[in-house]
Amino acid sequence: MDISYFDNNATTRVAPEVKKAMMPFLEDLYGNPSSIHDFGGDLIKYVDVARKNVAKLIGASHSTEIIFTSCGTESDNTAVYNALKNYPRKKHIITSKVEHPAILRHFEQLERQGYKTTYLDVDRDGLITVEQVLEALTPDTALVSLMWANNETGVIFPIKEIGEALADKDLLFHTDAVQAVGKIPINLSQTKVDMLSLSGHKIHAPKGIGALYVRRGIKFKPFIVGGHQERGRRAGTTPVPNIVALGEAAKLALEGMDKESQAIRELRDYFEKEVQTKIREIEILGHPEKRLPNTSNITFKYIEGEAILLRLSNENIAASSGSACSSDSLEPSHVLRSMGLPFELCHSSIRFSLSKYTTREEVDYLLAKLPEVIDNLRKISPFTPAHLLE
Amino acid sequence: MAWKYSEKVKEHFKNPRNVGVVNNADAVGEVGSMVCGDALKLSLKIEPDSNKILDAKFQTYCCGSAIASSSALTEMIKGMTVDQALAVSNQDLAEYLDGLPEEKMHCSVMGKDALEDAIKKYRGEETDAHEEEDEGKIVCHCFAVSDKSIEKAIRENNLKTTEEVTHYTKAGGACGSCLGEIEDIIHDVRARMEQEQPSQPKESKQIIQKNKTEEKPLKQGLTTYKKIKIIEKLLKEEIRPSLGIDHGGLELVEVEDNKVYVRLLGACSGCAQSGETLEYVRNRIEEELGQPIEIKDLA
Ligand SMILES: Cc1ncc(COP(=O)(O)O)c(C=O)c1O
């Protein structure tokens, strides 16, 4: 049986159009765009087209503002590094408690090197306010890095408002938009961010390609040094197939944005409405509206998330969990904990994330299997109150 | 996460046997809590004359392998005498299930801990009240740290904040739900410390404390699965990274009382330094558990 895939915030299927677009570069067009000979050198034009498409998807004014990287993590690491290089004397950096490890672990490392860090709290809905950001600023602040949308809950931060509030401040503003790009409209000609990270494999391109937007006029210090690729901003032989793939994925995402997000949202809302009628004592996490259209994070009280995932996996359903058991650290999701969710609910949370390839049939299949799985595990749990078992 | 479980584990996970609570149970054992993310309750029907286990049922809140191993354990111990049941080892359980993934050991041994708890209570050994007198009340359920050990750590190391207590005893370090209680204990103990030594000059106090800090706080009442949890965390977060090896390079195989069995593979095994490596691992585990251990390399 085919997989029913509800884990698109973890990674996505490569779009057939994307695969088709990149194939020639895995076959006959294998040259190196940095070469003097035309066989390689000519390929740069495909890279340029891809760069334009990525720029367009996020509303960047110049395609040269896009630097191709290997992944979202590299983009995040590069952005933080660059901010510090821009302000060598400033020693304070700000982020939120719910960021991806690609930011958090880097901040912790910088702490050990003597930087002062501020981790902004989120409220029960997973949100922060512009005021919180402004209050955290000091004259010593070099960087504010805040994610556009959260990978676990889909909650969307007010990046436009924050960008506006920070526009006249002497610091850099970075946003990790890995989960937002391609899912909600982003227009950097109207949103004042200095740097933005995105990743290919979240938008139906293959794994191993990402990009960093750096607004024109901002000094840039390369994080990966070596050859002169990417105008000397990111060394390493140009991965033409992956770049072409990301370009094609960006084009598809922009073309389909309105219609597809609407369809995904309807399917997600249908799922949430139905699941609430079928299963008792559950809670949908994150702000109800300020949320990505594809993400649904639900806690199923009294049972443990990994057991739910394994049971779902038995039914060929893929999802993910914030439970301690399914993480490496034996500790539950830092995102849900930061939202003030009690531990027992963090252990019980499951994230379902949809894509444009998610079908109504898949959702109905999930809705058919999920109540049974939950009910079964609740029967095994010592904490389930009697009234739920009747 | 992929299924790394045997067919038999999968089967027991899908169709767990003996789920529920035995009517009029003669013994009930409980370990863990919902806050920590894993919990198990085992109830037994025992024939008084023969001490034979007539029925066994379990309920659990944990990941897949706890469900499978609890199911298997109840199957195994039915019909055994209490003593026979106590003699069932984690190895027996693993064999019954055609193997258990090692990183899931702390979940898998919960069944045994619950069984021991149940039988202790059945025999009237170390009832809760008794335990409270002796070892204190468990405050941090995640790492099984009692108020007595927290008090001891506070007194010996002159601790003032919850962070310090966590640092010394691990209490409050995982879920944090007991931090409020720890704060109360600090307050209380420090107040009593003041009263006990009202006229002691500050200087000599400091000297005493200096000497005392050398002593490692002892953690009492650590169950096997809490030990495994602590050791696994240590291996993962500190030892493997510092040795530059992955999970396959150093595996935790089994913990029995104070014996820790590991398997040193790959670059570490057989190399000239493997003895030193083992010694280092032993030292760190002893520090974390606050008790001496024996370590054996099964490779
Ligand atoms: C919000 C966020 N940032 C960064 C990343 C890292 O991206 P990549 O997997 O491309 O390194 C992810 C992906 O898991 C993410 O969700």
Side-chain angles (χ1 to χ4, degrees):
Chain A
M1 209 193 88
D2 284 347
I3 185 84
S4 292
Y5 190 73
F6 294 94
D7 205 8
N8 286 281
N9 285 9
T11 198
T12 60
R13 160 194 287 271
V14 173
E17 298 92 328
V18 169
K19 181 181 162 198
K20 191 157 164 252
M22 77 188 287
M23 276 318 274
F25 304 92
L26 294 171
E27 291 167 347
D28 298 336
L29 302 179
Y30 59 82
N32 184 336
S34 303
S35 299
I36 300 293
H37 48 74
D38 289 346
F39 175 69
D42 275 356
L43 299 184
I44 200 71
K45 63 174 185 272
Y46 299 101
V47 173
D48 287 340
V49 170
R51 203 184 301 279
K52 284 202 179 87
N53 281 326
V54 173
K56 224 167 140 187
L57 174 63
I58 57 174
S61 316
H62 314 278
S63 66
T64 50
E65 292 173 320
I66 305 298
I67 302 168
F68 289 114
T69 64
S70 66
C71 61
T73 301
E74 185 193 323
S75 301
D76 283 347
N77 275 249
T78 306
V80 172
Y81 176 82
N82 190 46
L84 303 183
K85 288 294 164 191
N86 265 265
Y87 295 100
R89 268 186 289 279
K90 293 191 176 202
K91 296 289 174 212
H92 178 229
I93 51 183
I94 299 173
T95 189
S96 81
K97 287 194 173 158
V98 297
E99 300 294 313
H100 191 270
I103 291 291
L104 289 179
R105 295 293 93 75
H106 196 181
F107 266 56
E108 286 162 17
Q109 197 180 73
L110 291 165
E111 252 168 52
R112 291 194 285 275
Q113 291 168 20
Y115 281 88
K116 269 199 68 182
T117 49
T118 301
Y119 300 93
L120 299 175
D121 282 313
V122 296
D123 64 14
R124 187 63 161 72
D125 281 337
L127 279 170
I128 55 166
T129 62
V130 180
E131 292 70 39
Q132 269 178 287
V133 180
L134 291 178
E135 275 164 26
L137 295 181
T138 72
D140 201 32
T141 309
L143 166 74
V144 175
S145 177
L146 294 167
M147 67 203 317
W148 201 308
N150 187 275
N151 43 309
E152 289 189 33
T153 58
V155 169
I156 299 171
F157 278 172
I159 294 298
K160 191 168 159 52
E161 291 75 8
I162 295 168
E164 228 118 86
L166 294 178
D168 60 348
K169 304 283 189 288
D170 189 25
L171 50 77
L172 291 186
F173 177 37
H174 165 250
T175 182
D176 174 348
V178 166
Q179 291 293 346
V181 166
K183 294 183 185 132
I184 53 173
I186 288 182
N187 188 349
L188 294 184
S189 68
Q190 284 166 26
T191 304
K192 295 170 176 155
V193 311
D194 298 318
M195 295 181 284
L196 174 147
S197 304
L198 63 92
S199 177
H201 72 101
K202 312 283 186 186
I203 60 168
H204 306 292
K207 292 140 193 77
I209 184 73
L212 177 65
Y213 159 91
V214 181
R215 193 162 49 74
R216 183 181 269 191
I218 290 175
K219 271 193 295 176
F220 186 82
K221 177 109 177 148
F223 183 62
I224 297 206
V225 292
H228 287 105
Q229 296 87 354
E230 299 294 293
R231 298 169 156 238
R233 294 176 298 175
R234 201 284 187 181
T237 298
T238 313
V240 184
N242 285 356
I243 290 176
V244 169
L246 178 57
E248 184 67 20
K251 186 171 133 231
L252 291 171
L254 188 61
E255 284 167 3
M257 178 78 66
D258 297 341
K259 235 178 85 212
E260 281 160 9
S261 336
Q262 191 47 33
I264 294 170
R265 182 186 304 276
E266 278 167 21
L267 212 49
R268 195 266 320 260
D269 291 349
Y270 163 73
F271 166 66
E272 289 188 345
K273 191 170 133 275
E274 288 296 310
V275 80
Q276 289 181 92
T277 66
K278 286 176 193 289
I279 306 174
R280 285 180 291 173
E281 299 212 25
I282 67 176
E283 184 186 342
I284 298 171
L285 303 174
H287 192 280
E289 283 94 44
K290 292 173 183 158
R291 204 158 47 116
L292 292 175
N294 80 317
T295 309
S296 187
N297 195 320
I298 303 180
T299 67
F300 299 91
K301 249 180 138 172
Y302 314 117
I303 49 181
E304 200 278 331
E306 196 204 84
I308 302 174
L309 288 188
L310 292 176
R311 283 281 167 100
L312 288 176
S313 178
N314 278 338
E315 307 291 348
N316 260 313
I317 295 168
S320 69
S321 163
S323 96
C325 254
S326 53
S327 81
D328 292 336
S329 63
L330 300 176
E331 275 162 43
S333 152
H334 70 286
V335 175
L336 303 183
R337 282 295 297 146
S338 303
M339 288 163 68
L341 217 67
F343 268 89
E344 51 267 40
L345 289 187
C346 298
H347 294 302
S348 307
S349 81
I350 302 287
R351 176 188 73 188
F352 302 95
S353 48
L354 286 60
S355 82
K356 63 176 175 179
Y357 296 114
T358 311
T359 62
R360 168 82 182 227
E361 286 69 39
E362 273 178 295
V363 174
D364 281 332
Y365 177 71
L366 172 62
L367 284 166
K369 292 291 173 187
L370 192 56
E372 198 179 296
V373 165
I374 300 302
D375 207 45
N376 239 294
L377 290 172
R378 280 182 172 171
K379 281 191 186 130
I380 300 178
S381 168
F383 303 113
T384 311
H387 70 267
L388 273 184
L389 298 175
E390 280 149 19
Chain B
M1 141 224 43
W3 276 100
K4 285 163 283 186
Y5 302 137
S6 73
E7 286 306 313
K8 202 141 176 205
V9 174
K10 286 190 212 177
E11 207 277 316
H12 272 268
F13 173 65
K14 273 190 216 173
N15 304 302
R17 333 284 199 266
N18 311 314
V19 170
V21 184
V22 173
N23 276 339
N24 299 320
D26 296 303
V28 178
E30 279 171 292
V31 287
S33 80
M34 187 145 65
V35 173
C36 304
D38 41 29
L40 188 113
K41 185 171 170 180
L42 184 73
S43 55
L44 305 173
K45 187 93 205 136
I46 302 173
E47 195 177 62
D49 299 335
S50 62
N51 269 339
K52 218 170 168 179
I53 297 172
L54 300 177
D55 199 6
K57 287 195 171 168
F58 78 97
Q59 290 179 315
T60 186
Y61 171 94
C62 195
C63 46
S65 68
I67 293 176
S69 57
S70 313
S71 163
L73 182 71
T74 50
E75 283 288 277
M76 287 173 79
I77 63 172
K78 273 204 271 182
M80 285 184 176
T81 65
V82 166
D83 283 330
Q84 285 168 335
L86 279 177
V88 172
S89 70
N90 291 324
Q91 206 52 45
D92 297 334
L93 192 62
E95 262 165 41
Y96 183 90
L97 285 168
D98 299 334
L100 275 168
E102 270 134 25
E103 59 270 34
K104 290 295 177 193
M105 263 174 70
H106 66 263
C107 293
S108 308
V109 299
M110 283 174 77
K112 271 208 67 188
D113 282 334
L115 177 67
E116 280 166 18
D117 184 46
I119 293 178
K120 261 186 199 165
K121 284 183 194 157
Y122 171 71
R123 289 177 165 166
E125 297 168 4
E126 276 188 55
T127 60
D128 274 348
H130 184 80
E131 199 166 8
E132 231 161 275
E133 265 171 40
D134 248 352
E135 299 180 2
K137 175 171 125 292
I138 295 292
V139 174
C140 167
H141 291 274
C142 295
F143 292 119
V145 187
S146 69
D147 55 356
K148 283 270 165 67
S149 7
I150 293 173
E151 171 161 356
K152 192 155 175 267
I154 294 172
R155 283 176 179 276
E156 288 177 356
N157 306 295
N158 192 23
L159 307 182
K160 296 191 183 76
T161 65
T162 49
E163 287 95 74
E164 285 175 340
V165 169
T166 303
H167 195 72
Y168 273 79
T169 65
K170 269 184 175 291
C175 74
S177 65
C178 58
L179 286 175
E181 207 175 328
I182 294 177
E183 202 161 346
D184 292 344
I185 295 176
I186 296 174
H187 195 75
D188 183 51
V189 172
R190 294 203 70 84
R192 276 187 281 133
M193 281 163 74
E194 291 290 315
Q195 276 176 9
E196 287 157 15
Q197 310 163 315
S199 60
Q200 192 155 31
K202 270 209 170 105
E203 270 172 335
S204 70
K205 204 173 177 182
Q206 267 167 0
I207 291 164
I208 291 170
Q209 278 146 5
K210 258 221 174 94
N211 292 337
K212 285 273 173 87
T213 43
E214 308 291 313
E215 219 169 275
K216 285 275 169 320
L218 209 74
K219 258 165 256 104
Q220 296 163 331
L222 275 187
T223 59
T224 304
Y225 102 98
K226 289 302 174 197
K227 280 184 201 160
I228 291 173
K229 243 179 152 166
I230 293 169
I231 297 172
E232 275 180 342
K233 202 166 169 180
L234 177 72
L235 288 180
K236 183 177 151 45
E237 287 177 3
E238 186 190 313
I239 295 181
R240 287 193 197 106
S242 76
L243 295 175
I245 52 177
D246 59 10
H247 179 260
L250 173 57
E251 287 173 347
L252 179 64
V253 182
E254 174 77 289
V255 176
E256 269 175 25
D257 302 324
N258 70 335
K259 293 193 193 65
V260 176
Y261 299 97
V262 298
R263 203 176 280 132
L264 262 177
L265 295 170
C268 277
S269 74
C271 74
Q273 285 88 31
S274 71
E276 276 170 43
T277 306
L278 217 57
E279 189 57 21
Y280 156 70
V281 174
R282 185 179 64 86
N283 278 333
R284 284 298 294 122
I285 293 177
E286 285 185 346
E287 274 171 28
E288 286 300 305
L289 298 182
Q291 62 184 54
I293 60 150
E294 268 176 52
I295 194 160
K296 270 224 173 73
D297 180 11
L298 299 178

